[in-house]
Amino acid sequence: MLDLVILSLHFFICLLISVAIWRGPKDVDLHSSSTETVEMEPDGLILIGREDDIKKSRRTTAKVNGREVVVFYHEGKFHAMDSRCYHEGGPLRLGEIEDINGQACIICPWHKYKITLETGEGLYEGRNPLEPSPTPQWLSIGVKQRIHKVTIDNGNVYVSPPDLSVSFDSDYFADKHRNSGDLAMEKQSNSQAAEQVMARKQNPGECSNEEPLS
């Protein structure tokens, strides 16, 4: 009889342990895919992902309230901007980063527009016709791409919500592609970007978005 009581108690304890494990907290994955909306922190900062993960991948894209933002890690610094180029909405996440006139720039894979990672300025190579012997120089057409402030805290990467009281050219394409999934224009961008990279390697001196001085 005593053996039966002990066996019953053992079975009851095992049952309680099983229920406790089943109802316990589940692991939470903080990593966001390139098309998912990320989490909003209580202080308003928006969690993008783990610092180490973005350092390894060098870039990641996240949907923030439907707005697509790309975060780059380049030469020890994080930069974030609207992922659609201000010119015609090209996918900047597929572009290459180059140093132009001492500034790190993302090169749009569609039309080679050059945008500084630090400020979002559009750069072009032009000549001043008033100079006796005009030589090409890199000039700014102003801030065209919306930049997002990046904050690193406890191994996580956050961006601040955009101040929509100030508008930028890239806002048009950010709004146009809000809440969209895999766009038709993005499906062709991989092959298009590869073709353009090969073309630039064959013609390294060619500049495709040169604009005259006004």
Side-chain angles (χ1 to χ4, degrees):
M1 184 63 180
L2 181 60
D3 291 341
L4 182 60
V5 172
I6 294 174
L7 183 62
S8 299
L9 287 174
H10 179 74
F11 175 78
F12 183 69
I13 292 172
C14 290
L15 180 62
L16 288 178
I17 293 174
S18 299
V19 171
I21 293 174
W22 180 76
R23 298 191 63 180
K26 304 295 188 298
D27 291 334
V28 178
D29 186 5
L30 296 179
H31 303 296
S32 303
S33 73
S34 61
T35 57
E36 291 182 352
T37 300
V38 295
E39 299 178 13
M40 178 77 77
E41 295 295 303
D43 56 1
L45 295 179
I46 300 164
L47 175 63
I48 299 299
R50 294 291 298 172
E51 180 181 4
D52 290 342
D53 292 338
I54 300 176
K55 283 183 176 180
K56 289 177 182 177
S57 65
R58 297 290 174 176
R59 62 187 68 188
T60 189
T61 309
K63 284 287 187 67
V64 180
N65 297 331
R67 188 186 195 99
E68 196 174 84
V69 173
V70 59
V71 177
F72 296 102
Y73 179 72
H74 179 69
E75 294 184 349
K77 294 184 65 176
F78 287 91
H79 306 271
M81 61 174 57
D82 286 350
S83 70
R84 299 286 173 175
C85 178
Y86 73 88
H87 174 230
E88 285 190 0
L92 296 181
R93 68 181 181 83
L94 299 178
E96 294 185 351
I97 297 176
E98 295 182 7
D99 182 86
I100 296 177
N101 201 30
Q103 300 183 79
C105 296
I106 184 70
I107 313 300
C108 180
W110 282 9
H111 305 108
K112 304 302 182 188
Y113 274 65
K114 297 160 180 63
I115 305 168
T116 63
L117 295 181
E118 193 74 34
T119 64
E121 290 179 86
L123 300 184
Y124 71 98
E125 195 172 31
R127 294 174 173 84
N128 187 346
L130 300 179
E131 291 183 357
S133 300
T135 55
Q137 55 184 322
W138 288 104
L139 304 168
S140 171
I141 55 175
V143 178
K144 299 292 185 178
Q145 198 77 16
R146 182 180 290 277
I147 297 298
H148 302 267
K149 181 182 177 182
V150 179
T151 300
I152 311 299
D153 183 56
N154 196 29
N156 291 324
V157 178
Y158 302 86
V159 298
S160 299
D163 178 9
L164 299 180
S165 66
V166 181
S167 62
F168 298 91
D169 288 10
S170 66
D171 290 340
Y172 171 79
F173 293 101
D175 291 337
K176 181 178 181 180
H177 300 302
R178 286 179 65 87
N179 300 314
S180 61
D182 293 329
L183 306 173
M185 62 187 292
E186 189 166 319
K187 290 179 180 178
Q188 66 181 5
S189 60
N190 282 313
S191 59
Q192 190 173 18
E195 291 174 2
Q196 292 174 344
V197 168
M198 290 300 297
R200 185 160 82 254
K201 288 182 178 179
Q202 294 173 0
N203 302 283
E206 185 177 333
C207 180
S208 62
N209 67 322
E210 183 172 312
E211 301 182 23
L213 281 171
S214 56

